[in-house]
Amino acid sequence: MSGVATAVSVLVATCTFLTGAVIVGEAGVLSQRAAAAADAAALAAADAVTGVIPGDPCVRAGDVAAANGAVVDWCAVSGAVATVVVHANRGILTAAARARAGPPG
């Protein structure tokens, strides 16, 4: 019976390790998704500020963030520079990201 107990212990340890690895991997993917959503939202807001696209900059940022699976937590415009903070959720995980966009210089 001790061989069975050892095998079960190894199986449980392996499953626990793999579950942790999957969660860490998912957290990394979610973080990148939030960063991409923040970048795109900031670019959309900056485009709205400069008149490239019509509409309110922060509304545009919210639309683009939502299309990328995120929610805008904060949006500010200073001159032609837009700054956006977003968060994305997946299950029990949450990732936040911040991005700025504006004309070069």
Side-chain angles (χ1 to χ4, degrees):
M1 279 299 188
S2 67
V4 172
T6 300
V8 169
S9 296
V10 168
L11 182 62
V12 168
T14 301
C15 288
T16 302
F17 173 76
L18 290 176
T19 300
V22 167
I23 290 171
V24 168
E26 184 63 31
V29 169
L30 185 62
S31 175
Q32 291 301 311
R33 185 173 297 150
D39 288 343
L43 287 169
D47 283 348
V49 168
T50 59
V52 174
I53 58 174
D56 179 79
C58 291
V59 171
R60 286 296 187 175
D63 294 343
V64 170
N68 284 284
V71 176
V72 172
D73 295 324
W74 184 76
C75 175
V77 175
S78 177
V81 176
T83 305
V84 178
V85 176
V86 304
H87 77 271
N89 297 318
R90 184 165 178 125
I92 61 170
L93 301 174
T94 299
R98 175 185 172 118
R100 293 180 64 200

